[in-house]
Amino acid sequence: MIRYLDLKRINAAYDSELRAAIDDVLRSGWYLKGEATRRFEQHYADYIGTRHCVACGNGLDALTLILRGYIELGVMCEGDEVIVPANTFIASILAITECGLRPVLVEPSAETLQIDDAQIEAAITPRTRALMLVHLYGRCAYTERIGNICQQYNLKLIEDNAQAQGCTYSEAPLPASPEGEELLLKASPRGSLEGAASPFEKTGALGDAAGHSFYPGKNLGALGDGGAVTTNDDRLATVVRQLGNYGYAEKYVCPLRGRNSRMDELQAAMLDVKLQHLDADNRRRKEVAAFYQRAINNPLIRLPRCSRDSVWHIFPVFSERRDELQRHLAACGIETQVHYPIPPHLQQCYRALAADRSLPVTEQLSAEELSLPCHQAMKDDEVETVVESLNRFS
C-alpha cells in the first residue's frame, strides 16, 4: 500500500533529533511558555522574514486571533466584511464568523486554483476591511494586483498560510519558454531540481499578518496541534500574544477577554528540529510533483498548472470521473484523499453565504479534485507506480 501521507516514515527521518529535543524539554522541567517556545518563535520569524512570531494552539486559532486583534485595535468591528476565496478549508471561514465578521466569498481561477484577482474589486463594499488570502495546496496566491487592490482600498491583507510553509512569491511570471518549462518539469524522482529554489519573499510575510498551522500533516508538522501568527505589526503582535494567554497584560491582569491558545514546549522543540529540514523536504516534494507533471499522460485527468514557487502540500488532479479514479487507484494499492468534497458555502452551517449567488468554479473543483501522494518520504518506485496506475485508468 502506498499511503497518502506516511507520517511515521516522515518523522522517522528525524528520530534521533526529535528524541533529543524531547529529552531536553523533560529535563528542563518547564512545559509551557518557556525557552523552547521562545526559540522556535524566533527561528520561525527569521525563516518567514517577519519581526514577530507568536505561537498558539492551532491554525484556526491563529487566524481568529489576528481578526480579534484587529477588532481590539479598532481596525475592524463586528459586522465588517472580509473577502475570502470560496474554495478553501472551512477553518478560513470559521475564523471570520467566530469574530462576528462577515465572509464574502470570491471564486477561484480555474487555472491557478487560487482566488481570482479579477473578481476581487467587485466584491468590495464600504464595510470591507480585509482580504484573507489562502495559499491553497501550498501554492502562492498573492499577486501584484492583489497587493495594489489592498493598498487602494486600505484593506488589511491576512494570509492563511496553513498549507504553504516555505512557499515563496516572485513577481516574475511562470516561464513561458520551453527552457523555462524544462527547468520545472525535467526532474525525475531520481534527480534533483537544483536551481528552482528562490530567494524571494516567503508567504507569511507578504501581508499585514499571517496564520500558520502545524497540524501533523503539514509540510512543517508538529506531533500534535500547533499554530502561529507572523507579522511586522508590533501592536498586533502584542495584542495577539495577550489574547492567546487569557487576555493577560501580566499574570492575573486581564484588560482583554482572551482565550487559552498556547503552544506547549514539546511541540515547539520538535518543530524547531523539523524547521531545519523544511527546505530540503520541500525540494523533495517539488521533485515528486515535477515528475507527476512530466509523466502523467491521461486525457481523463487534468493536472494543476506548473508553479515554480509551490511547496506542494497537496498535489491535486481533476477528473469528471473522480470517484471512479479514486477506486481504481485504491485497487492498485494507492491511497488518495479529496480536498474538499463539500465547499464551505454548501455546508449546512454556511448555506446562507451563497443563497443569492452561484459559485460554479468552486463547486466543479470540489466535485473533481483528487489528491495524490506527494511528500518527502516517497520512494522513487512509489512515485513511478502512482504514475503508471494513473496512466492505465480508462
Side-chain angles (χ1 to χ4, degrees):
M1 167 66 75
I2 299 175
R3 300 287 305 279
Y4 173 72
L5 186 65
D6 193 333
L7 292 178
K8 184 176 180 180
R9 193 198 297 177
I10 287 173
N11 289 315
Y14 330 112
D15 185 81
S16 61
E17 294 172 86
L18 292 174
R19 290 179 187 275
I22 292 169
D23 286 346
D24 286 346
V25 172
L26 289 175
R27 283 194 296 267
S28 77
W30 198 285
Y31 309 122
L32 279 171
K33 294 178 67 61
E35 182 57 33
T37 301
R38 286 191 290 272
R39 184 168 55 245
F40 172 69
E41 287 178 333
Q42 184 60 61
H43 289 166
Y44 195 63
D46 291 345
Y47 178 81
I48 294 296
T50 56
R51 285 201 300 274
H52 303 283
C53 169
V54 181
C56 61
N58 54 68
L60 172 57
D61 279 1
L63 295 173
T64 304
L65 290 168
I66 291 169
L67 295 170
R68 275 287 313 280
Y70 280 133
I71 290 172
E72 296 292 349
L73 292 171
V75 175
M76 303 178 191
C77 62
E78 289 193 14
D80 283 343
E81 297 173 352
V82 178
I83 293 172
V84 64
N87 65 319
T88 184
F89 181 54
I90 199 166
S92 310
I93 314 295
L94 288 169
I96 297 169
T97 58
E98 185 174 335
C99 294
L101 303 168
R102 180 173 177 267
V104 177
L105 306 183
V106 171
E107 284 267 70
S109 159
E111 182 180 7
T112 68
L113 310 175
Q114 309 300 312
I115 192 168
D116 187 345
D117 60 10
Q119 298 189 43
I120 291 173
E121 279 192 271
I124 296 173
T125 76
R127 295 303 302 270
T128 308
R129 296 291 177 268
L131 166 60
M132 183 179 288
L133 201 60
V134 181
H135 302 298
L136 197 67
Y137 305 139
R139 301 166 69 97
C140 181
Y142 181 83
T143 65
E144 186 177 358
R145 183 175 188 174
I146 286 173
N148 291 337
I149 289 171
C150 289
Q151 287 188 341
Q152 179 181 347
Y153 292 93
N154 194 28
L155 304 180
K156 292 296 183 184
L157 180 57
I158 301 168
E159 297 174 79
D160 181 341
N161 200 51
Q163 299 186 4
Q165 299 99 337
C167 182
T168 56
Y169 165 70
S170 167
E171 292 185 9
L174 186 74
S177 70
E179 290 181 355
E181 290 292 334
E182 184 68 11
L183 173 65
L184 289 172
L185 298 181
K186 70 180 180 180
S188 79
R190 304 181 193 280
S192 143
L193 217 58
E194 293 299 327
S198 167
F200 302 115
E201 240 182 324
K202 286 188 172 66
T203 58
L206 300 174
D208 295 285
H212 306 254
S213 169
F214 305 119
Y215 180 78
K218 304 301 186 186
N219 290 37
L220 179 61
L223 272 68
D225 269 323
V229 172
T230 55
T231 184
N232 287 315
D233 186 329
D234 299 341
R235 294 174 66 217
L236 179 65
T238 297
V239 171
V240 164
R241 194 174 292 281
Q242 287 181 239
L243 288 169
N245 190 35
Y246 300 109
Y248 284 174
E250 56 185 278
K251 194 168 185 179
Y252 302 134
V253 178
C254 291
L256 305 175
R257 296 180 184 179
R259 65 201 305 168
N260 180 353
S261 181
R262 302 174 300 204
M263 180 181 290
D264 67 69
E265 289 284 278
L266 285 169
Q267 298 305 333
M270 289 184 284
L271 285 167
D272 204 41
V273 167
K274 296 178 74 173
L275 178 59
Q276 300 172 52
H277 302 279
L278 178 58
D279 286 342
D281 289 345
N282 283 341
R283 281 195 295 272
R284 175 57 178 170
R285 286 174 177 264
K286 292 179 181 182
E287 290 169 6
V288 173
F291 187 69
Y292 281 160
Q293 290 275 8
R294 180 179 67 82
I296 295 172
N297 183 18
N298 187 324
L300 300 174
I301 299 170
R302 300 194 311 280
L303 300 178
R305 179 189 176 190
C306 294
S307 175
R308 170 181 45 223
D309 298 327
S310 177
V311 292
W312 298 105
H313 172 63
I314 292 170
F315 189 98
V317 296
F318 301 88
S319 175
E320 294 178 2
R321 295 166 55 193
R322 188 264 311 283
D323 295 343
E324 292 178 61
L325 176 59
Q326 186 172 40
R327 289 193 292 270
H328 164 76
L329 292 174
C332 296
I334 300 167
E335 186 178 48
T336 58
Q337 290 191 12
V338 174
H339 296 91
Y340 300 97
I342 306 174
H345 72 281
L346 295 182
Q347 298 285 353
Q348 184 175 352
C349 59
Y350 283 132
R351 283 187 177 271
L353 288 179
D356 59 347
R357 58 177 303 197
S358 173
L359 297 168
V361 178
T362 296
E363 292 176 20
Q364 180 181 1
L365 292 177
S366 69
E368 297 183 356
E369 192 275 346
L370 186 66
S371 303
L372 304 182
C374 183
H375 58 82
Q376 63 268 33
M378 287 191 76
K379 299 175 181 177
D380 297 339
D381 59 345
E382 291 176 326
V383 181
E384 292 163 356
T385 296
V386 172
V387 169
E388 291 164 2
S389 299
L390 287 164
N391 289 343
R392 287 201 309 270
F393 178 66
S394 60

